[in-house]
Amino acid sequence: MGEEFYAIYPKDKWKDPSYKLMDKFSLKGKKGFVTGGGGGIGRNTAAAWAEAGADVALVDIPASKERLEPLAKEMSQRYGVKVVPVYCDVSDKAQVDAMRETLVRELGTVDIAHINAGVCLMGDDVDVPYETWKKTIDIDLSGAYLTAQAAQQIMREHGHGGSIIMTSSLSGYNANFIGGGPSPVCAYGTAKAGISQMARYMAAGLAPHGIRVNTISPGYIWSGIHEGVMDKTGHDMCLEVVPIKRFGTNDELQGVMLFLASDASSYVTGINIPVDGGYSIY
């Protein structure tokens, strides 16, 4: 078939003295944003990307200003990259459009995006009130749609590829078992299932543009919302079907978020990665 044909698939790059596998994990020169950037998962993603060399925008609601501005400053000083706060209600299209303009102005472009903003509201069982249902869907699913669209449109308009990672959930593909029955997250689980399917369609449609789209599904991750609210009984009930028998921590999501954002995952698109301590085994 000719040497030219076979040359498109180089063999054993590690034999090249200049090749370094760990270089694939570098995000130096990349520009990214994280929605829900002030929360536990969001700020840990941002820290991982900043440490790897990316400039990052922390996107969160205007009410988060008091915690977001010092957080951005701290990350910027620690990692020596540009980290900026951007305020946006992701369920509001006008605010997302303004966010898009701010991202281009502040960062120049977008190479990586973590679509992460979301809420899980009380009273979200099978009799979920319509107001709770609508707010959850508006923020979690419609917000993911709007911000993911902003990311891929910037990538396509600027003529380069990129990586979009969305936060789904175990609740998106099962009824989480807690204390003998399903946890009350009807609207939340529905929204997360929608995110997972949206990501698959986007992955297929954007592959020709060099844009990869994947999801992560965190399991029981210990964050500030549990402190002062969850007692030992509730804690132990959650872990009945978690083989590792503990909650995960926010920093334990950093590795997978760096992998999916970086060239180390250049042949990975349209997948979901559970980070759940083995919950999904059963």
Side-chain angles (χ1 to χ4, degrees), residues 64-234:
S64 69
K65 184 175 182 178
E66 286 190 7
R67 73 175 184 273
L68 208 64
E69 288 192 357
L71 181 62
K73 184 177 181 180
E74 179 184 2
M75 285 187 185
S76 183
Q77 291 175 341
R78 177 168 183 174
Y79 299 115
V81 296
K82 185 174 185 178
V83 181
V84 295
V86 176
Y87 303 104
C88 175
D89 176 346
V90 299
S91 67
D92 185 322
K93 186 178 184 303
Q95 290 191 39
V96 174
D97 290 342
M99 177 204 75
R100 175 179 167 179
E101 294 180 4
T102 301
L103 291 172
V104 173
R105 183 176 67 251
E106 292 285 346
L107 301 179
T109 192
V110 168
D111 302 288
I112 50 180
H114 185 189
I115 307 305
N116 171 67
V119 295
C120 187
L121 303 174
M122 297 295 291
D124 186 9
D125 58 16
V126 291
D127 291 315
V128 54
Y130 176 70
E131 294 75 16
T132 300
W133 170 274
K134 186 176 187 306
K135 184 173 182 178
T136 302
I137 297 299
D138 284 350
I139 295 173
D140 293 14
L141 183 54
S142 297
Y145 162 78
L146 290 171
T147 50
Q149 289 288 7
Q152 67 94 358
Q153 288 165 3
I154 293 172
M155 293 171 185
R156 291 170 67 184
E157 288 172 9
H158 291 192
H160 58 72
S163 176
I164 299 171
I165 307 116
M166 301 190 196
T167 300
S168 185
S169 172
L170 301 181
S171 303
Y173 54 86
N174 63 34
N176 287 347
F177 180 89
I178 299 179
S183 58
V185 289
C186 181
Y188 176 81
T190 301
K192 292 301 184 179
I195 285 172
S196 296
Q197 191 66 356
M198 177 171 61
R200 294 184 187 100
Y201 274 98
M202 290 185 69
L206 295 173
H209 301 279
I211 300 170
R212 299 181 295 107
V213 185
N214 295 288
T215 60
I216 63 166
S217 286
Y220 294 121
I221 303 296
W222 190 265
S223 64
I225 63 172
H226 298 103
E227 296 177 13
V229 176
M230 178 172 286
D231 59 16
K232 186 179 187 304
T233 299

Side-chain angles (χ1 to χ4, degrees), residues 18 24 31 137 205:
S18 65
K24 286 179 173 284
K31 317 292 183 179
I137 297 299

Side-chain angles (χ1 to χ4, degrees), residues 170 173-174 217 219 241-243 272-282:
L170 301 181
Y173 54 86
N174 63 34
S217 286
V241 289
V242 177
N272 173 66
I273 300 181
V275 186
D276 63 2
Y279 181 107
S280 54
I281 291 172
Y282 298 116

Side-chain angles (χ1 to χ4, degrees), residues 34 37 41-51 54 56-58 75 79 83:
V34 180
I41 293 175
R43 65 176 179 263
N44 275 268
T45 294
W49 289 359
E51 182 177 342
V56 184
L58 300 172
M75 285 187 185
Y79 299 115
V83 181

